[in-house]
């Protein structure tokens, strides 16, 4: 619903637009790099991937897009925040402060291969990404279900007074 112009009426359209997009020789291109948020579900948990300077290309075949690719840059800080928000919901051994969490964060940090600012000197703070996809036009929705409430975070702990003096 957060991507609709009117959350109660999907016929009013979406806020997602590619004003610079074009089709050339049957290949659709999104146009200039822009920000796109991808949401990927793993074991019922959604991880948000804020892709910056994103380009989307795909073969345009009637009502289908095939051989599609979303390519861009993931800010290491934003990706770490997205992972931290859901890590314990995927596996409690990945809660912040636990060894598996550190392993995941260290792995992401070591995958950083460029800088967000485009400078070629200094420590990398972003990860290049490319994700393939296919899509097909479907019947326009007539209603929108509200997003499911997130499950309780098993990493959250009660730090209240334990009754000690």
């Amino acid at each position: 619903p957060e991507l609709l112009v009117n959350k109660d009426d999907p016929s009013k359209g979406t806020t997602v637009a590619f004003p610079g997009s074009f089709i050339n020789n049957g290949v659709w291109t999104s146009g200039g790099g822009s920000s796109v948020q991808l949401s990927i579900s793993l074991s019922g948990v959604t991880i948000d991937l804020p892709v910056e300077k994103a380009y989307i290309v795909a073969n345009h075949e009637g009502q289908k897009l095939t051989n599609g690719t979303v390519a861009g840059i993931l800010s290491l800080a934003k990706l770490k925040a997205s992972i931290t928000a859901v890590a314990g919901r995927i596996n409690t051994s990945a809660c912040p402060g636990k060894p598996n969490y550190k392993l995941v964060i260290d792995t992401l940090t070591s995958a950083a291969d460029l800088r967000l600012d485009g400078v070629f000197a200094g420590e990398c703070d972003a990860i290049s990404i490319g994700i393939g996809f296919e899509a097909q036009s479907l019947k326009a929705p007539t209603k929108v279900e509200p997003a499911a409430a997130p499950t309780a975070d098993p990493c959250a702990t009660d730090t209240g007074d334990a009754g000690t003096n």
Side-chain angles (χ1 to χ4, degrees):
E2 65 275 1
L3 299 177
L4 295 173
V5 171
N6 180 330
K7 294 175 180 164
D8 298 318
D9 185 359
S11 70
K12 301 295 182 192
T14 178
T15 60
V16 178
F18 301 99
S21 67
F22 59 91
I23 298 174
N24 184 20
N25 291 326
V27 177
W28 177 79
T29 302
S30 63
S34 58
S35 296
V36 175
Q37 180 156 308
L38 299 177
S39 297
I40 297 176
S41 291
L42 301 170
S43 301
V45 177
T46 300
I47 297 174
D48 294 324
L49 302 175
V51 182
E52 299 177 37
K53 301 177 184 173
Y55 285 86
I56 307 170
V57 297
N59 294 337
H60 183 264
E61 301 172 1
Q63 297 294 312
K64 295 181 181 182
L65 295 176
T66 61
N67 298 317
T69 301
V70 177
I73 300 170
L74 292 173
S75 157
L76 187 57
K78 289 179 182 179
L79 180 57
K80 286 179 181 179
S82 290
I83 296 295
T84 299
V86 300
R89 291 179 175 95
I90 294 171
N91 189 318
T92 56
S93 70
C95 286
K98 294 193 174 180
N100 283 345
Y101 175 79
K102 181 176 179 352
L103 177 64
V104 169
I105 296 301
D106 288 349
T107 300
L108 291 173
T109 301
S110 69
D113 59 349
L114 48 91
R115 290 177 48 95
L116 281 172
D117 61 12
V119 174
F120 291 107
E123 189 172 336
C124 293
D125 61 356
I127 299 172
S128 56
I129 184 173
I131 297 176
F133 73 93
E134 294 199 356
Q136 180 173 340
S137 179
L138 301 174
K139 179 181 167 190
T142 57
K143 68 177 187 172
V144 177
E145 294 294 325
T151 59
D153 183 355
C155 298
T157 58
D158 181 9
T159 57
D161 182 359
T164 58
N165 291 324

